[in-house]
Each structure stands twice: as structure tokens, then as C-alpha cells.
Amino acid sequence: MLAKEDLSKAFEDILESVIEETGLGTSSGVQLNRHQQRTVDRLHKFVNSSEYKRSSGSSASTSETISFCDDFIADWEASGLNSSPVQQLINLLNRPHIRGLLWSTEDVSAKRFAPELPAVPFEVDEDEGIAVKIVRIVRRDEPLGATIKCDHGGRVYVARIISGGVADRSGCIQEGDRVLEVNGESVLDKKPDEIVQLLNKCDGGCVTFKLIPVEVWHNHSSKAHNNNEKSHIHLRALFDYDGTNDARHPCPEAALNFRRGDILELLVCNDEYWWQARRLGNGALAHSREESKGVGLIPSELLQQKSARPEDRRKNTSQKLVEKDMDDLFYESVCKLKSSSSSSNSRPIVLIGPPGVGRNELKRRLLMMFPERFSTTVPHTSRSARNGENDGIDYYFTTRKNIEKMIENDEMLEFGEFRGNLYGTAVSAVRMAKLKGTPLLTPHPLALRQLRTSEFMPFIIFVQPPTFHDFKETREAFRSRTARTQSSASSTSQTINSMGRAFTDSEIRQIIENASNIDRNYGHLFDSRITNTNLDDTMSDLIKLIHNLETKSTWVPLNWATRCVDG
Ligand SMILES: Nc1ncnc2c1ncn2[C@@H]1O[C@H](COP(=O)(O)OP(=O)(O)OP(=O)(O)O)[C@@H](O)[C@H]1O
């Protein structure tokens, strides 16, 4: 224990040397004034306090040190003395970062790494005669990450804990805990929005709950269940979802919004109606961990099925759109297909889009640039071969009867009649094309029903038109550029395609409208999208996309995969 007299003496010595240094007096002894005596008193108490001693002399409570500095500064200023070293010290002590440093040094030396919370006692509740727990959560600006539900008797329960949220991280609140009080106020018979108000009225980011813990066995079994469910369930969203506008949502702030084609990782799905999930990105190449931070509640398949209006259902034709009938589904189970598999090289690349958008131009250019790499289908026709045409190279020449039979057997991807002859692309032609390279296909979207199968595993790219203005401008520029180069080459075999087609305004509008119809009806099947504005840019986007398909894992329907890897 340090004697007060020793401390006074030390203080006097310091004052003396300051007076000497400022030349205001002699070193023949100093009498402490009232202020200075009070400071010595405080210092004495502080140095002898148990907290100071507990952590080897370095961990004064935070407020004590700062107030000690403040008192020193006040005393010095009151003394009316001048000393440039002391003034420098005062300047330093007043700097925010030095103060911050003092706070943190003390916190660290006192091992205060987190806000000090009261212990969580289990106590006997006088009213109920059962054990309760008091939980104080510091949430600052973050949402609590929990939802509540009320039963018919006005009792309130924790309905869900959002994975990774504040409540989850605290480890002190469990789903099923009964809430008795929030910040000291009973919640019995309170309406959910009144409870939300109570929660928002928290003091300095702290919320205190009085809870009756859910039965331990129940807790264990549901945790185990959750962990099982957690193991790598991934879904592709087949619809757009905005939870903030969903009147069914139990807690819109905890909603996870998503778009069609987003890949969702399911974290908790033991609730019949609301699942916890996070977004991994959009499309078959989604892989971003960056996007996967926020966990939120999404409606389950069952809830969507129950509340779907007829217009939410995509099935507007009598035909199934895909192999597995997913037209009434809202999510599709997916897994990751390894990039290195040789299968990714022969997965057909299917360019879907409205006629006129440029699918065949892109295909033609890819075939020209990489003739060894890509292949295309040879169509069937019922007309007879012309001079120079070879069977199996220009067309598969066959009879009308044969093509009709193939149509009947669902063996044609698409077909049509022109000048009394049948033309079309057979499913078998895709198999043949696969033998020669990666098939590049530009079919009508209805053909996806036969193509989107585990046999072909196509990569489907939606080629969308740009805005009206950009469409018009790029097509006109392309036409005048090709006209210039072709006239200088004085070519005699100019085709409309190589020249670039002229589009009227109404044709452009029609293309844009067709694109949005295709998107509405088939958008949930697209693996990726490109906008065909400038042809060179579109080509480089397409080549990049195909490179990614070859080198990265892609999300594919679960039922396709024999070589799926974990997400
Ligand atoms: N980005 C572009 N800029 C300028 N012209 C383009 C662009 N893309 C395509 N074109 C031209 O637009 C016309 C239509 O393209 P393309 O034939 O490839 O369309 P499509 O989607 O295959 O439709 P269709 O089935 O009617 O042929 C062609 O003349 C093509 O050269």
C-alpha cells in the first residue's frame, strides 16, 4: 500500500521542478493548494484501488485514467504556470488519438475485449416458478437477426434466428425461447409491431431479454436437423422475389431479395414456410463469395406453391418446357459441375433470342474463328439434293414421310415447311454434331424442352437486344462499314448477312418486344445473358463466357450431375 504522504511528496517534487524550470520561484519547497491536494487524494485512492492492483498496475478503469488526465489539465491551467514541456504534454493528452490509445491500452491490459455484459444468470422467476435467462445483446446498428411469433394465448416466442446475425452470434438466444420481457417491459399480449417498437427503443445498441429457455432436448434435435439440412443444398431461383413487398413475410427486414437465375445456398430449411438462405450470385457461373454475406428469409417452395396466383405459373402452353416438369416449380435444385470434365467441352452452347437479334451472326463468326473447336447441326430436308450438295454435309436428305414420323416421335427440335418441302433439325443431329466439336445451336426456345437434359447438358445463353437507340445505331454503322469494305473488295457474292440487314423502326421494336416475351417465358432456363450491341464487343463477351464455361465450375440441375462437386 502506498502512503499518502509519499504521494504528496512526489507531487510536490514534480511541482517544484516545474516552477524551477519556468523560473517562477525557487526550489525551496512548495505548498500544495486545494486543487492539488484533491488531485493527490484521488491519485492515492486510485493507485491503491483493487482494480489497479489486479492487473499489474497497468489497468486503471478507463474513465479513471481519462478523468485523471482531465483533472491534471484543469489543475495545471488553474495554477496559472507556464511550461512549454507541460503545455506539449497537455496538447498531446487532448488529442483524440492519444485518448483513444489510452482507452484501448487499458481495455487490452484489463483483458476487456468485448463490451462488459452482466453474467447471464438462471434465476427462479417468481411469477412462473421456472428458470429464466436474462440475455443482453449489443447490436449497435445491425438488425437483431431474429423473428418472433405470438401464440393464441398472447405468449411470444423466438421464431427464427438468422444464421450469422447478431442473435445467432450471441449464442444466447434459441429458436423456441419464450420472450417474457424486452428491456424490462412485459411482452405478454403485445402485438408484434409493439414488440418491434420496444426492440427499437434500445439503449446504446443494447437490448435486454428475459427469456424462458426452450427445452434442451428440443434444441439439440433441431440443431442436428439443421446441420444435416445445411450440407450443400443449392437452389436456382426461378422467380424474382422482393421480400420488402411481401405481405406474407414474418419479418421483411430479414428478407433476402433475389432475381430469377440467382443461385441460393440454403442454410436452414426445417421450417415449412420460411427458409434461410444466402445469394451466391446470378447464373450458372455464379461463384462470388462476396455476395454471399447476407443471410435472409425466403419463402419455401411449399409456401410459394400454396400462394401462387395462376399468372405466377409459367406453364402457358400445353407443352412441357423442359425434361423435368419445372414449370410449376419456384426453385430448382442445382449442384456444381467440375470445369475440368471433358463433358464441359462438348456441352452444346445454345444461343436463344428473338429472330434478328444476331444469334446466327455470332454463331457464324465463332465457327469461322474456331473451326476445329465448334460444330453445328446438319438439318434434315424432304427436298431432293441439288447439284454440289452432299448428304450429311449440307442436309440429311430424306423423305417427307420419314420427317413426319420423326416429328410424331418427338425426335425433331424444330421444323417447318417451305415451298412444299419439310425442313428441320433433329435431336440426332445434335448427337452427330457433338462428335465433331462443341455444337453451337440457335433454336427456337421451345426446343429447350428436348435439349435441356442430362444427355446434352447445354449451356444456354440469352442474346438480348440493346435499347432501340443502340440497336438502330449499331446496325446502321455495321451496314455502312461492311458496304464500304465490300465495295472496295468488289465482291460479287454479297449476301444480306455479310452486308448486315437493314431494320425498320417497327422491326426493331418488334425484336425488343419478342425478346421480353422470351425472357418472361423462358428466362428461368438461361445460364447466362449477353447484350448484342456492338458486334466486336459481343463476340469478345461470348468468347470470354465460353472460356469461363471451359475453365470454371458451373451450376447445373442436380439431376444432371454424376460429377457434381460441393458448392
Ligand atoms: N451487333 C450487331 N451489329 C450490327 N449488325 C448485326 C449485329 N448482330 C447481328 N447483326 C446483323 O443483323 C442481322 C440479323 O442477324 P442474324 O441473322 O444473326 O439474326 P438472328 O438472331 O440469327 O435472326 P434470324 O433467325 O432472323 O437470322 C444480320 O444481318 C447480322 O449481320
Side-chain angles (χ1 to χ4, degrees):
M1 168 112 33
L2 183 70
K4 194 168 162 191
E5 296 71 45
D6 297 339
L7 203 61
S8 285
K9 181 77 185 64
F11 204 80
E12 284 165 16
D13 288 349
I14 294 169
L15 268 183
E16 244 180 64
S17 54
V18 169
I19 291 166
E20 240 177 57
E21 188 236 315
T22 54
L24 287 172
T26 62
S27 58
S28 59
V30 178
Q31 277 281 274
L32 297 186
N33 66 25
R34 215 156 41 86
H35 267 305
Q36 291 159 343
Q37 277 168 6
R38 219 181 52 227
T39 307
V40 170
D41 222 31
R42 278 216 198 130
L43 193 60
H44 179 249
K45 271 197 205 132
F46 170 64
V47 169
N48 287 326
S49 71
S50 55
E51 185 157 350
Y52 174 79
K53 283 180 189 154
R54 193 187 50 178
S55 41
S56 50
S58 58
S59 70
S61 82
T62 302
S63 56
E64 284 275 6
T65 313
I66 299 290
S67 70
F68 181 60
C69 288
D70 289 342
D71 285 349
F72 164 71
I73 293 166
D75 285 349
W76 177 257
E77 280 166 359
S79 72
L81 298 173
N82 279 323
S83 160
S84 61
V86 176
Q87 197 48 54
Q88 270 178 19
L89 178 65
I90 289 173
N91 291 346
L92 275 175
L93 290 176
N94 273 327
R95 290 214 181 137
H97 56 273
I98 296 289
R99 289 189 161 231
L101 197 67
L102 289 174
W103 279 74
S104 0
T105 312
E106 287 164 11
D107 277 348
V108 171
S109 59
K111 300 193 175 151
R112 285 192 296 265
F113 303 123
E116 277 180 31
L117 299 174
V120 179
F122 274 81
E123 55 183 46
V124 174
D125 186 88
E126 284 170 10
D127 304 327
E128 307 263 348
I130 45 167
V132 297
K133 57 181 177 183
I134 310 290
V135 175
R136 180 178 291 172
I137 289 191
V138 182
R139 57 180 250 204
R140 304 222 157 81
D141 295 333
E142 264 187 274
L144 188 62
T147 63
I148 47 164
K149 62 183 175 194
C150 307
D151 71 6
H152 294 304
R155 287 177 289 261
V156 179
Y157 296 89
V158 176
R160 279 176 208 89
I161 303 288
I162 308 298
S163 223
V166 177
D168 187 26
R169 296 202 304 270
S170 81
C172 297
I173 298 188
Q174 316 295 336
E175 285 175 10
D177 282 354
R178 186 174 153 202
V179 185
L180 297 176
E181 289 173 12
V182 172
N183 294 334
E185 232 180 278
S186 167
V187 294
L188 190 68
D189 290 329
K190 279 212 170 19
K191 295 196 187 101
D193 43 338
E194 290 174 321
I195 301 171
V196 169
Q197 270 176 18
L198 264 183
L199 286 169
N200 289 339
K201 250 199 287 166
C202 53
D203 165 30
C206 284
V207 194
T208 308
F209 293 95
K210 187 175 188 180
L211 303 161
I212 300 178
V214 68
E215 284 173 276
V216 173
W217 68 267
H218 173 74
N219 224 348
H220 273 298
S221 61
S222 69
K223 264 257 158 65
H225 180 60
N226 285 354
N227 286 342
N228 282 340
E229 297 274 5
K230 222 182 217 185
S231 55
H232 313 299
I233 295 183
H234 293 95
L235 302 174
R236 186 218 284 254
L238 304 177
F239 66 110
D240 293 331
Y241 180 67
D242 177 3
T244 44
N245 286 322
D246 183 355
R248 304 165 306 173
H249 207 292
C251 179
E253 305 87 73
L256 178 79
N257 297 339
F258 54 80
R259 288 183 296 134
R260 251 181 337 164
D262 278 354
I263 303 297
L264 306 171
E265 182 179 5
L266 274 200
L267 300 169
V268 180
C269 52
N270 57 348
D271 187 296
E272 205 180 0
Y273 291 139
W274 295 99
W275 294 337
Q276 291 185 34
R278 64 173 151 228
R279 276 189 71 235
L280 300 184
N282 188 274
L285 285 157
H287 67 283
S288 161
R289 288 269 155 206
E290 298 258 294
E291 288 208 47
S292 66
K293 281 184 192 140
V295 176
L297 283 183
I298 62 170
S300 69
E301 179 70 44
L302 179 67
L303 180 61
Q304 281 302 107
Q305 297 279 357
K306 280 191 170 177
S307 45
R309 298 157 303 165
E311 61 265 34
D312 293 335
R313 309 220 177 251
R314 279 173 295 273
K315 195 186 276 181
N316 50 8
T317 63
S318 56
Q319 266 191 310
K320 284 199 308 170
L321 291 184
V322 283
E323 176 194 37
K324 208 167 157 278
D325 196 355
M326 57 188 267
D327 300 335
D328 285 337
L329 290 181
F330 291 87
Y331 301 100
E332 179 185 40
S333 293
V334 290
C335 62
K336 257 187 180 175
L337 184 72
K338 272 188 196 161
S339 56
S340 56
S341 60
S342 56
S343 62
S344 62
N345 288 339
S346 57
R347 288 178 66 187
I349 290 167
V350 182
L351 303 177
I352 295 289
V357 77
R359 295 161 300 146
N360 284 301
E361 179 72 44
L362 297 170
K363 172 174 142 182
R364 195 173 63 81
R365 285 175 180 240
L366 279 176
L367 284 167
M368 255 167 43
M369 286 168 80
F370 308 100
E372 305 295 318
R373 165 84 179 79
F374 295 112
S375 64
T376 189
T377 49
V378 174
H380 280 64
T381 180
S382 63
R383 80 158 162 76
S384 38
R386 292 179 189 143
N387 267 351
E389 285 183 339
N390 294 307
D391 187 33
I393 294 176
D394 302 296
Y395 287 98
Y396 292 112
F397 295 102
T398 183
T399 60
R400 184 180 188 93
K401 201 161 161 220
N402 196 21
I403 295 184
E404 282 171 350
K405 196 161 153 229
M406 288 166 80
I407 295 170
E408 212 178 290
N409 292 342
D410 202 22
E411 289 168 19
M412 297 297 284
L413 285 181
E414 52 188 355
F415 56 88
E417 189 155 357
F418 183 66
R419 294 195 180 147
N421 291 307
L422 287 176
Y423 292 82
T425 306
V427 177
S428 60
V430 182
R431 291 188 191 110
M432 297 303 288
K434 266 181 81 167
L435 300 176
K436 292 183 250 154
T438 299
L440 291 174
L441 310 175
T442 56
H444 186 279
L446 274 175
L448 293 178
R449 179 180 61 84
Q450 287 141 297
L451 283 174
R452 200 174 183 268
T453 63
S454 50
E455 179 192 355
F456 292 122
M457 302 202 290
F459 188 78
I460 304 168
I461 302 171
F462 183 43
V463 184
Q464 41 194 10
T467 59
F468 177 89
H469 173 266
D470 288 353
F471 194 103
K472 198 173 161 82
E473 201 176 82
T474 48
R475 273 47 179 186
E476 278 171 7
F478 181 69
R479 263 172 68 72
S480 46
R481 203 172 65 226
T482 48
R484 271 200 311 278
T485 50
Q486 301 224 347
S487 67
S488 63
S490 67
S491 167
T492 50
S493 59
Q494 290 175 358
T495 61
I496 288 192
N497 255 0
S498 61
M499 291 256 328
R501 191 179 128 191
F503 292 92
T504 64
D505 285 3
S506 72
E507 280 172 334
I508 299 175
R509 279 195 200 94
Q510 190 61 55
I511 289 170
I512 292 172
E513 194 185 322
N514 289 346
S516 80
N517 288 338
I518 292 176
D519 195 6
R520 190 168 46 253
N521 290 322
Y522 303 94
H524 56 293
L525 305 176
F526 303 150
D527 291 306
S528 194
R529 292 159 182 264
I530 49 173
T531 304
N532 184 15
T533 312
N534 173 295
L535 203 43
D536 293 338
D537 293 346
T538 312
M539 277 305 290
S540 87
D541 288 351
L542 191 56
I543 290 167
K544 242 185 258 160
L545 200 55
I546 294 170
H547 176 73
N548 283 341
L549 170 66
E550 286 165 5
T551 53
K552 292 184 176 160
S553 309
T554 46
W555 295 102
V556 295
L558 192 59
N559 61 323
W560 289 6
T562 49
R563 291 171 301 277
C564 269
V565 293
D566 287 337

